[in-house]
Amino acid sequence: MLTTTADPARVLAIGPLPPPVHGLSKAFEVAVRGLTERAWSLDLIDTSEGSHARRGSAFTLARAAQALSYVARAALLLRRCEVVYIAITQSKLGFLKDGLILNAARAWRRPVVVHLHGGNFPAFFAALPRLAQARVERALSKVCYFVVEGETLRDQFAMLPGGRARTRVVYNPSEIPAFRELRAPPTGEMHVLYLSNLMLEKGYLDVLQAGAIARQASGIRLELHFAGAFVAGDGSASSAAAMQKAFEEQAQFARAAGVGVSYHGVVHGEQKRALLERAHVFVLPTYYRNEGQPLAVVEALSSALPVVATAHRGIPELLPDEMRLLCVPPREPEIIARRLCSLVSDPALFLRLSRAAAVRAGSFAPARHVDGISRLLLSARGT
C-alpha cells in the first residue's frame, strides 16, 4: 500500500536510471518512481543517457559535452522547482557536472538534498588539489541534507563545515519481495550466486577459485552462477571483452575440478528472481574503492539467503549480527571456501542464518526508502 505525501513539492530529480544497471541507478529509479506514485511533481534529468556507450572515468569531449548538457537542462528547470534531489558522483568529471548544478541551485536559492551512493567521498576529496577542494566545499556549502546509505557512512561529509550534522541515513531499497519461508539447506548440491557488476575489485575471480577449493574440501557438487556486466575499472583491465575472456579461461580450471560455472549476463525481473530463488548462498567478496551499501546484498537478504561477503564499507551494518561470522577478508578464496563448506556441514547454522536474513529484509522495503527521501525533501523545502 502506498504512503501518500501531504502537499507534495515540485522536485528537480537528477541522477542515473537504468541502463546501465547498478546499485545507484536501481535505487534512484525506486525513489523517482515512488515519488511519482505519491503525486509529487517531478522534472527528471537522467544522467545515464548514453553512458552505456562511454563507460569509464577518462575525460573525452563527448563525456564533457554530455555533462554540460545536463547542466544546461538543470539551469532551465531550476526556476520552476521547489527543491532539488541529486545523486552525486565520486569522480572528478562527474562532480564537475554536479558542482555546476549545485552552484546554479544556490544562485536560484533552491534547497538541495544530495544523495551519495558509495563510501569513498573522503578519499575522493582528499586527493583533490586544495583549490579544487575549496570549489567542492563551496558547491556543497548550502546543501540542506546529505543522504548516505548507512550509519557507518555518516562521516562521508565530515570534512565540510556542519557536514556531519546535515547527514541523514536512508537504507537502500530491495525490489525483490521478501521471502516468507526459510531456505532449505543444501544437500548434495550447492548453488552459489554472485550478482553484481563484474569488476576485479568486486572479487568475482576469488569466487571462482573458492569454488574449486570448496569442491575438493567438501565433496559437494558446486554450481557457481555469475550475473552482471563486465566493467573495466580505472586501469584494472584493458577492456570488458578482455575481462570476460579471462573469466572464461579461469572458469575452465574450475570446471576441471568438478565445479559448474554459469555466466548469465545482466539480469532483470523474473530472471533475477529465478536466480535468487535457486541459490543457496550469496557471495560478494568486494573491496571496490567506491563501495557503499551494495544493493545486491540487500536483495540477497530479502531472498532469505546467507551472505558471504567482506566487511567492507557499509556491508557489516547490512548483515544481521548472526551472519557476520561469514565475513571474509578481501582476496582470500581459501577463507571463502571455508565459509561455503560450513554452510554445507552445519544445516542448523544454515537455517539460523536464513531466518536472520528474512527478519532483516523488512528494513529494505521500497516504501521505507521513499518515505525517508520524501521526509527530507519536505523538510528541505521548508528551509
Side-chain angles (χ1 to χ4, degrees), residues 68-349:
L68 289 175
S69 76
Y70 298 143
V71 175
R73 286 159 61 188
L76 291 173
L77 293 170
L78 276 167
R79 67 188 67 187
R80 70 177 192 176
C81 79
E82 297 176 83
V83 61
V84 178
Y85 173 56
I86 179 170
I88 65 168
T89 63
Q90 300 173 105
S91 69
K92 291 180 180 178
L93 180 59
F95 195 87
L96 177 61
K97 172 258 299 175
D98 296 337
L100 290 172
I101 293 173
L102 290 167
N103 286 331
R106 183 173 60 180
W108 279 97
R109 298 185 179 179
R110 296 299 186 258
V112 177
V113 174
V114 158
H115 201 149
L116 176 68
H117 292 265
N120 197 44
F121 199 83
F124 159 73
F125 182 83
L128 295 174
R130 183 64 195 120
L131 180 59
Q133 288 181 350
R135 290 172 177 166
V136 171
E137 289 178 5
R138 179 173 172 78
L140 296 172
S141 62
K142 297 299 183 180
V143 168
C144 294
Y145 297 111
F146 299 106
V147 183
V148 296
E149 300 166 305
E151 295 292 339
T152 52
L153 300 169
R154 273 192 179 272
D155 288 336
Q156 290 298 298
F157 299 95
M159 78 290 291
L160 305 175
R164 201 175 196 283
R166 289 180 281 156
T167 297
R168 302 292 185 271
V169 172
V170 178
Y171 281 143
N172 274 337
S174 171
E175 293 190 282
I176 301 298
F179 275 53
R180 298 184 181 276
E181 298 180 2
L182 302 185
R183 311 304 291 269
T187 55
E189 183 174 271
M190 172 185 268
H191 289 262
V192 178
L193 177 62
Y194 173 102
L195 176 62
S196 187
N197 280 333
L198 282 83
M199 306 173 67
L200 294 178
E201 288 180 312
K202 295 272 189 176
Y204 67 91
L205 292 179
D206 297 330
V207 178
L208 267 180
Q209 295 178 44
I213 297 169
R215 167 65 174 162
Q216 287 186 325
S218 69
I220 194 171
R221 169 72 180 171
L222 279 172
E223 292 285 341
L224 303 182
H225 296 271
F226 296 84
F230 285 93
V231 178
D234 297 336
S236 60
S238 58
S239 68
M243 293 173 68
Q244 185 166 358
K245 181 180 178 182
F247 170 84
E248 290 297 339
E249 291 172 351
Q250 295 207 31
Q252 291 304 319
F253 289 104
R255 294 184 180 111
V259 178
V261 181
S262 300
Y263 173 59
H264 300 272
V266 177
V267 295
H268 308 280
E270 289 302 323
Q271 189 180 5
K272 179 192 285 190
R273 280 189 283 272
L275 285 173
L276 287 163
E277 287 176 6
R278 191 178 183 190
H280 293 104
V281 60
F282 177 84
V283 183
L284 186 67
T286 177
Y287 47 97
Y288 175 48
R289 70 196 71 180
N290 287 339
E291 200 74 81
Q293 186 191 79
L295 189 58
V297 173
V298 171
E299 292 174 336
L301 293 171
S302 295
S303 303
L305 289 173
V307 173
V308 176
T310 44
H312 183 55
R313 295 285 198 261
I315 293 176
E317 183 181 345
L318 282 177
L319 301 178
D321 291 342
E322 303 93 321
M323 204 173 290
R324 292 178 188 174
L325 59 87
L326 294 183
C327 284
V328 297
R331 305 180 185 90
E332 291 286 355
E334 295 86 358
I335 299 179
I336 298 171
R338 279 185 232 156
R339 301 294 186 265
L340 295 177
C341 289
S342 71
L343 295 171
V344 174
S345 62
D346 191 343
L349 170 65

